[in-house]
Amino acid sequence: MREKHIIVAVSAGIAAYKAIEVVSRLRKKGAEVKVVMTENATHIASPLTFGEISGHPVAIDMFEQVHQWDVEHIALATWADTYVVVPATANVIGKIYAGIADDMLTTTIMATKAPKYLCPAMNTEMYNNPITQRNLEGLQALGYHIMEPAEGWLACGITGVGRLPEPEAIVEWLESQMCKSNELEGTTVLVTAGGTQENIDPVRYIGNRSSGKMGYAIAEQAARMGANVILVSAPTSLAVPSGVDFVPVDSALSMQHAVESRYDTVDVVVMAAAVSDFRVLHKAEQKIKKMESMTLELVKNPDILQGLGAKKKHQILVGFAAETEHVIEYGQDKVARKNLDMLVANDVSKSNAGFNVDTNEGYFLYPNKDPKEMPNMKKSELAHNIMKEVVELVKNK
Ligand code: C5P
């Protein structure tokens, strides 16, 4: 989003107020935002607020020169590299599809060459109306990106489809659409995620603090780059990223089976899962009753990644290492021992890195290149950096 020029165009849906938070979130991500409103939208949400939040005058009237430019709508249309309509009403959608340009919104969207994104929001009947559906299909065929409206309670007092999704979801959707590339088209990437669970009895298990966030962010990023993604995941509370082939597992042995049975057909493996090093030797068939003390005998689990490294052919192997000291030294040893192409090594003793937080930092280590330091950043951003490295590794294979 950094340094992107985004026009947020607001039409007169009752959810127009949500666009204020969309503008704010986009700016926090580093984008420059200018707002265009329809005259009707100004009766629902205040242009003053949009002006304050965006840091720019709001364009509404075709004949008022807010930016002192000669031809305001053309200047705005040229400035934009992304154009998003939040909310897009049935009326505005219809006008855009019909080629009507009779106000600032419809004129600028017609005049811009920027990719266009629409977030429809309206009453369920209006949304389901074949005219609206025809218009949306037509716009999609013309290359417009359309976000599915959410289902839920609508301002008209009924529950149904047509709700404007929450600002956070809109920005996430926009980001994922804007960041799409084909750098990994034709490449199959298998990602493991989450913390494995080793059963003790039918209700108890040995687990770890992994949330799965890093692995899920990597799977999502790989899919954005056009890869075929297989996500082998231990149980997590996360939503499965769209467009990935999801393989749920629980224990280390089930993860090993899921990964190894697919190994020959994949090009890249990213082992982001926290795999339990041990499992219980004798699992109880029935729930173990309370007792004063008990001893569990544990046996070593296979090191899945090391096994993959030993039989590596064409694959690129990326591992993770959670350390609490000597991060580079221990990591470099792992690169060699597990025959990896890259290792993401991080210090989990820090409170803002590693398990169960949204940020991470560390080093990228390689068998024959100097380490690269990664400062603290969001896991989604780190996932982007990891997959950029993978693109290079695939290219240089
Ligand atoms: O040796 P260590 O457990 O620190 O290595 C971590 C890396 O190895 C991670 O990529 C993890 O997914 C993988 N691993 C594995 N099987 C294990 C333990 C770790 O594949 N039993």
Side-chain angles (χ1 to χ4, degrees), residues 194-210 234-235 250-253 274-284 288 294-301:
T196 60
Q197 299 181 349
E198 305 299 331
N199 284 346
I200 297 170
D201 68 14
V203 298
R204 302 180 180 97
Y205 61 82
I206 298 174
N208 60 65
R209 287 191 215 286
S210 170
D250 47 24
S251 64
L253 288 182
V275 185
S276 170
D277 289 320
F278 300 98
R279 68 176 178 278
V280 179
L281 179 60
H282 301 294
K283 280 179 225 113
I288 300 169
M294 69 176 286
T295 305
L296 282 177
E297 190 176 348
L298 305 178
V299 285
K300 202 165 184 304
N301 266 330

Side-chain angles (χ1 to χ4, degrees), residues 181-188 222-228 267 391 394:
S181 74
N182 55 6
E183 288 162 290
L184 286 175
E185 213 165 71
T187 307
T188 301
R224 274 183 202 167
M225 290 174 154
N228 306 313
D267 305 294
V391 169
V394 170

Side-chain angles (χ1 to χ4, degrees), residues 192 271-277 301-306 318-323 334 337-338:
T192 66
M271 281 286 307
V275 185
S276 170
D277 289 320
N301 266 330
D303 189 315
I304 305 171
L305 189 54
Q306 193 157 346
V318 180
F320 274 73
E323 306 290 354
K334 249 166 237 182
R337 192 157 34 87
K338 302 196 184 192

